Amino acid sequence: MILPIYIYGQPVLRKVSEDITPDYPNLQQLISDMWETLAESDGIGLAAPQIGRNIRLVVIDLDLLSDDLPEYKGFKKVFINPHIIELDEDSPHENLEEGCLSLPGIHERVNRPTRIHVRYQDEQFQEHDEWVTGYLSRVMQHEFDHLDAHMFIDHISPLRKQLIQGKLKALLQGRYRCGYRTKAAVR
């Protein structure tokens, strides 16, 4: 089932998400729905808060980028209870443009380290502890931020944030257009 994407201003996007256990109700159906929602919205990553759930669950599909980044051919993965353990601040940083399904129409450059240490569980709740590099590390940082009540706009300069205030206000008022189902934060 295609679920609505929660838009900037929805309280769930600013709450820290909780770890889940294998007995979380209808987990496999939720994961399936997240994949379907991600595909419908043409995104590469989706965190549970973006569909109104305050749980630590993320799906990432980088296969869509494999023409430009062949190392991600077939990369489609579920991350349960993910946590960033460490940002390698000594690694090179990249200042690349990011967008977000919860912030339609807003794209800004975000400076992030290119190497991170993460812990997570896969769909079978098997533990993983690894260092991640490259574009995947950026996508993980972006998506895992959602689980810790952050959005990519929290990483831009105060000046840039001031310059997009009109767009943010429009989102809060439900004035935006996008090609996927949404749940606006109209007040």
Side-chain angles (χ1 to χ4, degrees), residues 10-54:
Q10 283 282 353
V12 69
L13 295 172
R14 294 302 193 172
K15 291 182 183 167
V16 175
S17 297
E18 298 182 7
D19 284 353
I20 59 173
T21 59
D23 62 350
Y24 186 84
N26 303 310
L27 179 59
Q28 290 308 312
Q29 182 61 52
L30 177 60
I31 291 169
S32 176
D33 291 346
M34 287 179 71
W35 283 125
E36 194 174 345
T37 302
L38 182 63
E40 179 68 19
S41 62
D42 292 324
I44 59 172
L46 184 65
Q50 293 180 276
I51 55 156
R53 303 282 184 101
N54 261 130

Side-chain angles (χ1 to χ4, degrees), residues 60-184:
I60 295 176
D61 182 356
L62 294 184
D63 186 59
L64 301 167
L65 306 176
S66 63
D67 287 347
D68 295 324
L69 300 169
E71 64 269 30
Y72 296 119
K73 180 76 177 154
F75 187 97
K76 187 175 176 179
K77 200 166 184 178
V78 175
F79 298 87
I80 297 173
N81 301 326
H83 293 272
I84 294 176
I85 305 306
E86 181 181 355
L87 299 171
D88 183 354
E89 295 297 345
D90 293 331
S91 71
H93 282 54
E94 288 184 325
N95 191 27
L96 300 176
E97 187 174 274
E98 293 186 20
C100 181
L101 298 173
S102 293
L103 292 156
I106 297 177
H107 296 85
E108 291 291 329
R109 296 183 80 76
V110 178
N111 191 39
R112 295 190 190 267
T114 58
R115 184 171 182 259
I116 60 173
H117 180 199
V118 296
R119 282 197 193 117
Y120 63 91
Q121 295 166 316
D122 59 27
E123 275 187 269
Q124 288 73 46
F125 281 82
Q126 296 298 308
E127 295 281 342
H128 297 265
D129 185 322
E130 56 196 50
W131 284 92
V132 179
T133 60
Y135 195 71
L136 176 58
S137 76
R138 173 172 294 274
V139 176
M140 285 178 148
Q141 288 172 73
H142 177 106
E143 297 305 331
F144 297 178
D145 269 356
H146 282 297
L147 306 177
D148 292 321
H150 301 297
M151 301 179 86
F152 82 87
I153 58 171
D154 300 336
H155 298 289
I156 63 176
S157 73
L159 175 61
R160 289 299 314 157
K161 197 155 187 183
Q162 186 62 37
L163 291 172
I164 64 169
Q165 278 304 309
K167 291 180 180 180
L168 294 174
K169 184 177 180 183
L171 291 177
L172 288 172
Q173 295 171 344
R175 294 185 291 114
Y176 60 88
R177 290 183 187 207
C178 58
Y180 46 88
R181 287 185 59 204
T182 64
K183 185 170 176 89

